[in-house]
Amino acid sequence: MNKLVDAAHVKLAYRRYAAVYDRLFGAVFEPGRKEVVAEVNTKPAQRILEVGVGTGLSLGHYRPDAHVHGIDISGDMLDRARQRVARLGLSHVEALLEMDAQSMSYADDSFDAVVGMYVASVVPDPAQMLAEMRRVCVPGGDILIVNHFSSENPALRALEKAMSPFASQIGFHPDFDLNELLGLAAIEVVEIKPVNLFGYWKLVRLRNVPVMVTASERSEVGAGYAEPPPYKLREGSSAAR
């Protein structure tokens, strides 16, 4: 998989965004945050990791009996998340750590569930991020991702492609195909549904169970973004792209 944006540019972009992030992206992305937490935080005393926790806008939505860790590559964003936790008295948030999502310090099987909100198109190597999310999640645990993926509308897709060369300046990749991520992952897809304004973002619920792919499929995707095979949906699932 090709690198989308490098870590240095991501840090620089979110240093600029940190002071205004909540005002720019708080309300517009809030439905997706609430939906993810509602789906993942269903049992008592769950160990949950939030990858790309940012300024911590979602942290107040988790159950008070949860054990929540959050990581982010931006120290500036994390400073604001820590202030939020202290201000709101969110005792269920046990750690907020500066960490690369592509190389986490956690041991295997550390969490019952792992979520990534609006981060998949930000990291330099989203396939490596997803591999790490799977590694730190218990077998059979849930992995939930909410993100913008390339539009199926031809006009919007053309606009996204036109913006793609500026990915390093804006801090994310606007032309990011869902198949490019999930085709490489070979993981069970439980559900995909639209969230946020106009359904332009998608919530993807994955189960940490490997799905076998053929050698030819692996070879096909190994070339990068060209033509990955379709992701695998759980048998009988009504999920749609």
Side-chain angles (χ1 to χ4, degrees):
M1 180 176 280
N2 296 330
K3 300 289 183 184
L4 298 183
V5 287
D6 62 63
H9 280 108
V10 172
K11 286 187 174 185
L12 180 60
Y14 281 90
R15 182 173 298 162
R16 294 195 301 263
Y17 288 150
V20 297
Y21 186 89
D22 291 5
R23 292 196 295 274
L24 290 177
F25 303 113
V28 71
F29 287 170
E30 185 66 0
R33 293 187 196 96
K34 287 184 175 179
E35 189 76 23
V36 167
V37 174
E39 290 206 11
V40 76
N41 197 198
T42 57
K43 300 174 184 176
Q46 281 180 295
R47 301 166 299 162
I48 301 171
L49 173 64
E50 184 170 328
V51 176
V53 69
T55 63
L57 284 165
S58 61
L59 294 175
H61 300 317
Y62 291 98
R63 292 165 54 129
D65 61 357
H67 304 279
V68 179
H69 285 222
I71 66 169
D72 204 285
I73 199 171
S74 170
D76 297 275
M77 300 285 274
L78 283 171
D79 285 343
R80 294 178 179 273
R82 294 182 184 115
Q83 292 168 19
R84 184 186 305 278
V85 168
R87 185 173 69 251
L88 299 179
L90 303 178
S91 59
H92 58 277
V93 180
E94 297 183 342
L96 292 171
L97 304 175
E98 188 169 341
M99 194 182 297
D100 187 347
Q102 302 163 124
S103 180
M104 299 186 204
S105 302
Y106 293 109
D108 295 0
D109 309 335
S110 290
F111 297 96
D112 301 306
V114 182
V115 302
M117 304 191 204
Y118 313 110
V119 68
S121 55
V122 170
V123 296
D125 191 339
Q128 178 60 27
M129 179 196 75
L130 185 51
E132 279 290 274
M133 293 172 79
R134 294 179 69 178
R135 182 184 66 79
V136 301
C137 183
V138 297
D142 282 342
I143 297 172
L144 282 87
I145 294 172
V146 62
N147 209 81
H148 157 66
F149 297 99
S150 295
S151 174
E152 294 176 3
N153 179 291
L156 286 175
R157 196 175 182 93
L159 177 61
E160 291 163 351
K161 285 186 177 294
M163 293 173 61
S164 186
F166 304 101
S168 61
Q169 282 74 45
I170 59 180
F172 68 96
H173 202 285
D175 182 26
F176 183 49
D177 195 300
L178 178 59
N179 268 336
E180 292 167 355
L181 179 66
L182 300 184
L184 283 167
I187 190 173
E188 180 182 315
V189 181
V190 178
E191 181 183 28
I192 301 171
K193 61 183 178 182
V195 292
N196 295 332
L197 190 66
F198 307 125
Y200 191 54
W201 290 260
K202 287 187 174 70
L203 189 157
V204 182
R205 187 186 188 110
L206 308 171
R207 184 73 34 75
N208 194 18
V209 177
V211 176
M212 298 304 295
V213 295
T214 66
S216 62
E217 284 177 329
R218 281 196 300 273
S219 172
E220 210 175 328
V221 218
Y225 277 129
E227 291 290 337
Y231 49 80
K232 310 290 194 297
L233 287 171
R234 184 175 61 175
E235 189 172 347
S237 171
S238 60
R241 290 180 58 191

